Each structure stands twice: as structure tokens, then as C-alpha cells.
Amino acid sequence: LKGQPELQAEVLGTVERVWDLLGDSARSQATADRRTEVMLRAGDSVGAAESLLSSAETALKLNDHAVVADRLTRIGSLVGPAGMSVGFRARVALIRGALQSELGDRSAAVASLSQAIADSRTAGDRRTLFFSLIGRVFALRSSGDPVQLRKDIAEAEALVPVLEGERIDSLGYRLQVTVQRYVIGDYRGGW
């Protein structure tokens, strides 16, 4: 694939998804990073930013907070908020909010996740909306307004049938909603 960076990047993107589906997050992230370098050499900053975001998502799964922060910084330097589509900005805000929540900065996490919710609604990105709602419930679980928490959970739960594609994805979405109900003490609803 020498001399064909677009094709090389496409193949690497497929390999990355396969590693992720196989549960090998480390290889998935390494492949995303290789794809980023290919995109940068080809002069495609938007494609490189996409790969960096994918790497950040995987690093979050691996609890590698330093890598997540690094990838978010690199995304900002490559495209900046003005160069991002609304959907991409929503995904960046979701990962930033998840990282802030993991690091214990709840107020920043809630602000980022609320931005992700607003942007994902505008973009019509239901998957990002789902995870942003679930993330905000998690961040606010101990100090949030119970009415708002239940509202966010209900909205996330309403998205599940729309998001169901693969059976394993469906189970994951339902499990996320059930866990958040449990976290706020709402044991009805369950499975």
C-alpha cells in the first residue's frame, strides 16, 4: 500500500475495528495511532483527528488517562473547535467529560457531558447522546437532582431500541441503563 495513504488509512481503520471487536484494546489503539501517522503524512488533519479520537476512546477503556489527555490536546491543535463538525465536537466533549469524571472533576465533567448532549442532539448522533446521558448520570449520581437523573436515564433508555443493532451492543446499552438506575437507587425497571 506504499504511496496510497488513503487506502492504507482505510485498511488500518478496518483492522482497528476488528481488534476492538475482538477485545484487544491495546492493539486497537496501536493501530489507531498508526492510522493517525499515515493521515498526518498525507496532510489530512481531519482524518488524523478522527484517528486520535478513536485512540482516545480506546485509551479510556484502558484507563490510560495520560494518553486520553494527550490525544484530546493533539486533536485541539490539529483542528480546533471551529474545524470540528458538530458530531465530532460532541464525541470530543463526551471523551473529555468521561476523562474529567474519571479524574474526579465532577463539575467540569458535567459541563463537558452537557455540551456533548447538546451537540449530539444537534448532530442527530444518538449513540453519543446515549453515552453522554449515561455519563452525566454517573457524574451527578451522588449530588444531582433526582428528577433530572431519572429524566436522563429515561431518555437514554428510550434510545436503546433505536441503537440496537448487534445483540451484544443491545445487551451493553441495556446494562448501562440498568447500572445507572442502580447507582441512583432506582431499582425498579431493571431488565
Side-chain angles (χ1 to χ4, degrees):
L1 301 176
K2 281 189 175 204
Q4 301 178 60
E6 293 84 11
L7 184 56
Q8 189 178 16
E10 186 68 30
V11 169
L12 287 170
T14 300
V15 170
E16 173 195 350
R17 285 187 294 282
V18 168
W19 283 126
D20 188 53
L21 289 170
L22 291 172
D24 193 333
S25 297
R27 283 187 172 166
S28 177
Q29 182 180 7
T31 306
D33 292 340
R34 283 183 53 209
R35 183 173 187 267
T36 299
E37 296 311 314
V38 168
M39 300 305 286
L40 287 171
R41 282 194 305 272
D44 183 351
S45 60
V46 173
E50 273 285 338
S51 292
L52 285 167
L53 183 58
S54 184
S55 178
E57 290 166 341
T58 304
L60 196 59
K61 290 179 194 176
L62 295 168
N63 290 317
D64 194 340
H65 301 147
V67 169
V68 177
D70 172 74
R71 299 311 185 261
L72 290 173
T73 299
R74 289 178 66 192
I75 289 167
S77 68
L78 275 175
V79 292
M84 296 179 192
S85 68
V86 176
F88 187 79
R89 193 172 61 228
R91 289 175 54 212
V92 168
L94 168 59
I95 296 303
R96 182 175 291 113
L99 176 62
Q100 292 162 330
S101 183
E102 289 285 322
L103 296 175
D105 190 349
R106 294 208 190 278
S107 62
V110 170
S112 292
L113 293 165
S114 295
Q115 185 64 51
I117 290 167
D119 286 344
S120 59
R121 283 183 178 139
T122 299
D125 182 346
R126 295 176 182 147
R127 184 177 182 279
T128 300
L129 176 58
F130 174 85
F131 285 111
S132 300
L133 288 162
I134 292 294
R136 185 164 72 180
V137 169
F138 183 77
L140 287 171
R141 68 192 178 279
S142 60
S143 62
D145 172 19
V147 173
Q148 183 61 50
L149 292 172
R150 284 184 175 77
K151 187 176 172 185
D152 283 356
I153 289 173
E155 185 176 358
E157 193 168 33
L159 290 167
V160 171
V162 177
L163 296 173
E164 291 179 344
E166 299 295 322
R167 279 188 232 163
I168 193 72
D169 291 338
S170 172
L171 179 61
Y173 297 135
R174 291 183 186 282
L175 182 60
Q176 288 285 337
V177 170
T178 301
V179 166
Q180 294 313 316
R181 284 190 181 283
Y182 179 80
V183 160
I184 67 165
D186 182 1
Y187 305 111
R188 62 186 170 81
W191 293 95

